[in-house]
Amino acid sequence: PAPGTPAPACVFAPRCDQAEDICRIVPPPQRVVDGHMAFCHFAPPFPPAADTAAPPAPPRPNARTVPALEAVHLSKTYPGATGPVRAVSDVSFRIEAGQTLGVVGESGSGKTTLARLLLGLTAPDPGGIVALDGIQLGPSLASRSTEERQALQIIFQNPDSALNRAHRIRHILGRPLARLAHLSGRTKESALQDLAAGVRLGPAHLALRPRALSGGLKQRAAIARAFAGRPRVVICDEPTSALDASVQAAILNLLVALQSHDTVAYLFITHDLAVVRYLADRIAVMYLGHMLEIGPAEDVLAGPHHPYTAALVSAATQAARVRLRGELPGAGAAPAGCIFQKNCSRKIGAVCETVAPAFDPAEVHPIRCHIPREELVEKKQAVLF
């Protein structure tokens, strides 16, 4: 409920899909069943709420179609105090309509720089290409048309900084409807109501400023703004990392429901393998600007793994921990040969120090490693979940 709204007898009634009149009039009693306590008028077990139940899987795209988003040889080099710094190095991938590509890696691995390159907020090094529905986009945001900017949107990690605190939610959502979707008058108002309802924001929320909303409601408003122009691709830059677990689950289910309805493609950046396991069709693993592995989600998480992926998976499971050697080198101190060789617990010799491993992103599940795949299978870690 909006701030200042009188609380019902059951404080959860406004968000409960099983609420009845008694919930709004009489305080719920305490019930204990099998050691579990709950304050509710209805005895457990409770059926799952509509907003947190597992959503239907989005339709699988036809692999022969033109991808919704494609990156080809994307790199970004910055000048550094001791020489050039390669923030992103020769990254290529494709995302089909209705698919989600999860991008994982430690802080400093180049995930956010990659997102900026795709959005045109940062121009790539010469030779890098970003294509939307098979059409090459300009390298910068200024060189892209309104329709191209409309088709490629982003949901930021922190809605507090993404939403203008001076404006009400109605204005925040109405502006992209006017500028990107070119709507006005009653058509715009109808679209605004549909947009808000699609992310479960009520009329009362539209009249508020962001500071009056909870973190979850702010992120719903940010999602609605990203979807205002009916995008083809949405980049999600850790949109749930600052939210409580229950709110995070609701936001993830909302994103999947929106994807299923609009067949939008997601590039989902996260540190959380549990989140990417739930949401992604394919997973890309990045390290110091390089893509070390990319493939179907189940294959990447089940193995064979790149040794770095094995370390990430082991940290998120009950499997024996795979520990990295040494410290993460800075991007300006990237070693010769294999980019991962100074941290690798399975380094096999001089070849790792002198020769960069082959990596063909056109393969179903390429792994950037000199260790033969059959040996990686022998050492694979437990499956996540």
Side-chain angles (χ1 to χ4, degrees), residues 51-377:
D51 197 41
T52 57
R60 294 289 176 177
N62 186 335
R64 293 175 294 179
T65 60
V66 174
L69 181 69
E70 185 171 18
V72 182
H73 301 305
L74 278 187
S75 297
K76 183 59 185 178
T77 306
Y78 294 100
T82 58
V85 176
R86 204 82 179 271
V88 172
S89 182
D90 196 21
V91 168
S92 298
F93 62 85
R94 54 191 285 158
I95 312 176
E96 311 291 343
Q99 258 194 353
T100 298
L101 174 66
V103 180
V104 299
E106 296 171 279
S107 296
S109 62
K111 303 186 301 296
T112 297
T113 301
L114 176 61
R116 293 180 62 85
L117 294 174
L118 297 172
L119 290 164
L121 299 177
T122 299
D125 293 348
I129 295 173
V130 178
L132 185 70
D133 290 326
I135 300 173
Q136 184 174 340
L137 301 179
S140 66
L141 193 63
S143 64
R144 299 180 183 181
S145 67
T146 300
E147 290 72 22
E148 290 170 340
R149 293 195 295 269
Q150 170 188 344
L152 186 55
Q153 293 289 311
I154 184 169
I155 302 168
F156 292 101
Q157 177 179 0
N158 185 0
D160 285 316
S161 58
L163 301 176
N164 191 326
R165 289 174 285 181
H167 296 301
R168 301 182 189 276
I169 301 301
R170 173 180 292 279
H171 176 83
I172 291 172
L173 301 187
R175 190 167 185 266
L177 287 172
R179 293 175 63 90
L180 297 179
H182 309 294
L183 301 179
S184 61
R186 293 183 179 179
T187 305
K188 174 185 169 184
E189 179 61 25
S190 176
L192 177 62
Q193 296 296 333
D194 290 343
L195 184 64
V199 296
R200 297 165 179 78
L201 292 178
H205 300 126
L206 296 178
L208 300 175
R209 291 184 171 85
R211 64 174 176 269
L213 301 179
S214 67
L217 290 174
K218 290 176 189 174
Q219 197 59 288
R220 289 176 185 271
I223 293 170
R225 186 179 63 178
F227 276 82
R230 300 297 297 270
R232 294 282 293 127
V233 180
V234 175
I235 296 173
C236 306
D237 190 1
E238 304 205 49
T240 62
S241 62
L243 303 176
D244 293 338
S246 60
V247 179
Q248 182 183 86
I251 294 297
L252 291 175
N253 286 336
L254 172 61
L255 288 171
V256 174
L258 291 170
Q259 182 181 56
S260 180
H261 182 269
D262 291 342
T263 324
V264 66
Y266 291 146
L267 184 134
F268 198 98
I269 296 171
T270 183
H271 287 85
D272 192 333
L273 285 184
V275 169
V276 80
R277 168 68 178 81
Y278 172 75
L279 198 66
D281 298 284
R282 291 171 58 79
I283 296 175
V285 181
M286 292 192 67
Y287 176 87
L288 288 184
H290 291 69
M291 191 172 285
L292 298 186
E293 181 172 357
I294 183 171
E298 294 297 333
D299 293 349
V300 171
L301 295 174
H305 303 129
H306 186 282
Y308 178 61
T309 308
L312 295 180
V313 171
S314 74
T317 67
Q318 299 301 316
R321 287 294 302 273
V322 177
R323 301 191 180 276
L324 304 182
R325 295 171 20 176
E327 298 293 330
L328 180 70
C338 174
I339 189 69
F340 187 61
Q341 49 111 342
K342 290 192 174 181
N343 294 124
C344 186
S345 60
R346 301 187 62 190
K347 184 176 174 181
I348 58 177
V351 65
C352 298
E353 300 174 353
T354 58
V355 180
F359 186 81
D360 182 1
E363 294 179 7
V364 175
H365 182 190
I367 300 175
R368 193 186 298 269
C369 188
H370 288 298
I371 300 173
R373 185 176 290 263
E374 56 271 18
E375 294 185 24
L376 290 173
V377 171

